[in-house]
Amino acid sequence: MAQKKIKKVLIIGSNSFSAGSFINLLLKKKYRVFAISRSKLVLKKFLPFDSNDKNFSFTSLDINKDHKKIISYVKRLKPKYIVNYASQSMVGESWENPIDWYQTNSLGMIKLYNSIANTKLKLKLIHISTPEVYGNIEKITFENSSYNPTTPYAASRVTADHFLNLLFLQKKINYSLVRASNVYGEYQRLYRIIPKTIFSILNQKKLNLHGGGLSKRNFIHIDDVSTATLKIMTKGKSGEAYHVSGDTMVSIKNLVKKICNKMNFKFNNLVNKSKERKGKDKYYFLSSKKIKKELKWKQKISLDTGLDRCITWITKNKIYFKNSDLKYQHKK
């Protein structure tokens, strides 16, 4: 009997939180994973997978500085799938250095995707986008909703989404697009709201609540997003976008209160109200009806269960995070 061929997956932006979870899932499913990122392999405390796994390899490459090397790598590798998580990703900070965001998220992506299309390799490309492209929409948002970006970050992400559709129409590139609402879970960097809240409580530090925490989101655990991404990668329709979201809305204020209650800490002793971030969308609620119907995906981890897991993980690793900076550090 012929041995089953191991499918190769190239992960771009592999050191991100979301990519780490997806790599972990792929390795469990016995895929051969080739990972590239501009930075060195991140510390174990932010990686859920075993970097010594025989089916994993890592190369440090930057999509802005090493474009030719990346395309050469793609041609040699001939992966069945490419999943791209790379981006300049912080919303508020994009106002301070908008050119950096456009360089990576717009120009870098256009150059990368155009070159991949020109290789004429038979592969499928999965582009990880963002719900920020829709702006502030006070109703359920579907995949065909109009773009209305309100920050440099969001506007820079729209470009790649549009360009991929053009490549699909004109060059028949095989791609699907993923937009996941507020993703959280173990191994997330501490400057994000959920780990930041937990860390602040454990260390009795004040937490700034932008705009009083009135904006509303539907959070989803990263493990659910990864299972959805795998379904989209293997079964998603070409040229289609898919939303991946939680089933319930919660304000940031009530989210923090929920964590406080779980950790027996008084909300008023934790938070300081601060000015709202410029251009922050107050509301968005993605509908994941499409992926549920077409690909039979469903959310399995409730917000309560996910928060309990995050609290356990950060508490267990508290010593490793003792001197951690809770602020995002921008890299060009």
Side-chain angles (χ1 to χ4, degrees):
M1 183 180 292
Q3 188 175 12
K4 187 177 180 181
K5 187 176 181 181
I6 297 178
K7 295 175 182 177
K8 298 177 183 178
V9 184
L10 175 61
I11 305 292
I12 301 175
S14 61
N15 286 355
S16 69
F17 164 60
S18 294
S21 172
F22 190 57
I23 290 170
N24 191 43
L25 178 61
L26 289 176
L27 292 175
K28 287 180 179 179
K29 298 288 185 179
K30 304 303 179 182
Y31 283 85
R32 183 74 171 91
V33 179
F34 298 84
I36 62 176
S37 180
R38 65 178 177 176
S39 55
K40 295 180 180 179
L41 206 61
V42 294
L43 297 175
K44 178 64 180 174
K45 64 184 179 183
F46 291 119
L47 283 176
F49 64 88
D50 180 8
S51 59
N52 294 316
D53 190 296
K54 65 179 182 179
N55 283 327
F56 176 82
S57 63
F58 174 80
T59 306
S60 181
L61 293 169
D62 186 315
I63 66 169
N64 291 317
K65 299 176 182 178
D66 302 309
H67 175 81
K68 290 183 178 180
K69 289 182 180 179
I70 291 175
I71 298 306
S72 178
Y73 188 51
V74 170
K75 289 178 178 178
R76 292 197 313 273
L77 186 62
K78 294 181 174 62
K80 184 175 180 62
Y81 305 104
I82 295 177
V83 185
N84 184 19
Y85 289 89
S87 74
Q88 290 281 9
S89 62
M90 295 299 286
V91 178
E93 287 78 0
S94 69
W95 290 100
E96 299 171 14
N97 301 282
I99 293 175
D100 292 346
W101 267 251
Y102 278 92
Q103 176 60 50
T104 297
N105 300 344
S106 296
L107 297 177
M109 291 303 158
I110 288 174
K111 190 175 181 180
L112 175 68
Y113 290 154
N114 191 58
S115 294
I116 289 174
N118 288 338
T119 67
K120 300 188 184 303
L121 292 172
K122 291 184 178 180
L123 56 79
K124 184 172 183 180
L125 174 64
I126 304 299
H127 175 67
I128 308 300
S129 183
T130 172
E132 298 280 348
V133 297
Y134 298 122
N136 184 44
I137 303 178
E138 295 190 12
K139 60 182 180 181
I140 296 178
T141 307
F142 298 93
E143 285 84 352
N144 61 354
S145 297
S146 299
Y147 293 157
N148 185 31
T150 57
T151 65
Y153 165 71
S156 72
R157 297 302 304 273
V158 168
T159 308
D161 291 14
H162 274 312
F163 187 67
L164 271 173
N165 190 54
L166 293 176
L167 289 176
F168 169 72
L169 295 173
Q170 300 299 324
K171 296 188 177 183
K172 307 304 178 185
I173 188 172
N174 184 10
Y175 90 98
S176 294
L177 190 148
V178 181
R179 292 193 186 100
S181 60
N182 295 70
V183 182
Y184 75 98
E186 303 92 311
Y187 300 94
Q188 190 171 37
R189 296 296 181 130
L190 299 183
Y191 51 77
R192 298 294 188 180
I193 184 62
I194 289 176
K196 188 175 184 178
T197 299
I198 297 167
F199 184 84
S200 297
I201 292 172
L202 288 174
N203 292 277
Q204 297 188 13
K205 293 184 176 182
K206 283 289 186 177
L207 175 73
N208 286 327
L209 209 55
H210 298 291
L214 299 181
S215 59
K216 293 183 177 181
R217 299 289 186 265
N218 52 337
F219 286 82
I220 181 136
H221 194 277
I222 185 56
D223 286 358
D224 280 331
V225 177
S226 291
T227 57
T229 304
L230 183 59
K231 282 184 175 288
I232 294 166
M233 184 182 84
T234 56
K235 299 179 180 179
K237 293 180 180 178
S238 187
E240 295 284 332
Y242 293 90
H243 287 171
V244 185
S245 63
D247 295 327
T248 57
M249 292 288 289
V250 62
S251 68
I252 302 301
K253 180 179 180 179
N254 287 337
L255 175 73
V256 173
K257 281 186 174 181
K258 182 184 285 286
I259 296 171
C260 285
N261 289 337
K262 286 178 176 292
M263 299 182 70
N264 297 313
F265 199 87
K266 290 184 178 180
F267 174 80
N268 291 334
N269 290 342
L270 175 67
V271 302
N272 283 325
K273 292 183 180 180
S274 61
K275 186 178 179 181
E276 187 60 279
R277 291 181 302 179
K278 186 187 298 185
K280 182 180 179 180
D281 300 323
K282 293 182 179 180
Y283 181 102
Y284 53 74
F285 188 4
L286 299 186
S287 168
S288 53
K289 182 178 180 179
K290 180 177 179 178
I291 189 174
K292 289 177 179 177
K293 182 178 180 180
E294 290 187 10
L295 304 182
K296 309 305 179 186
W297 171 87
K298 65 178 181 179
Q299 178 186 3
K300 292 184 178 180
I301 303 171
S302 69
L303 181 59
D304 276 314
T305 299
L307 291 177
D308 289 340
R309 286 172 54 170
C310 290
I311 292 169
T312 299
W313 176 70
I314 293 179
T315 302
K316 181 180 178 180
N317 293 282
K318 181 181 176 181
I319 188 171
Y320 295 109
F321 302 134
K322 185 177 180 181
N323 298 317
S324 296
D325 192 340
L326 299 186
K327 293 182 179 180
Y328 166 76
Q329 300 295 322
H330 175 57
K331 298 177 184 177
K332 287 185 175 290

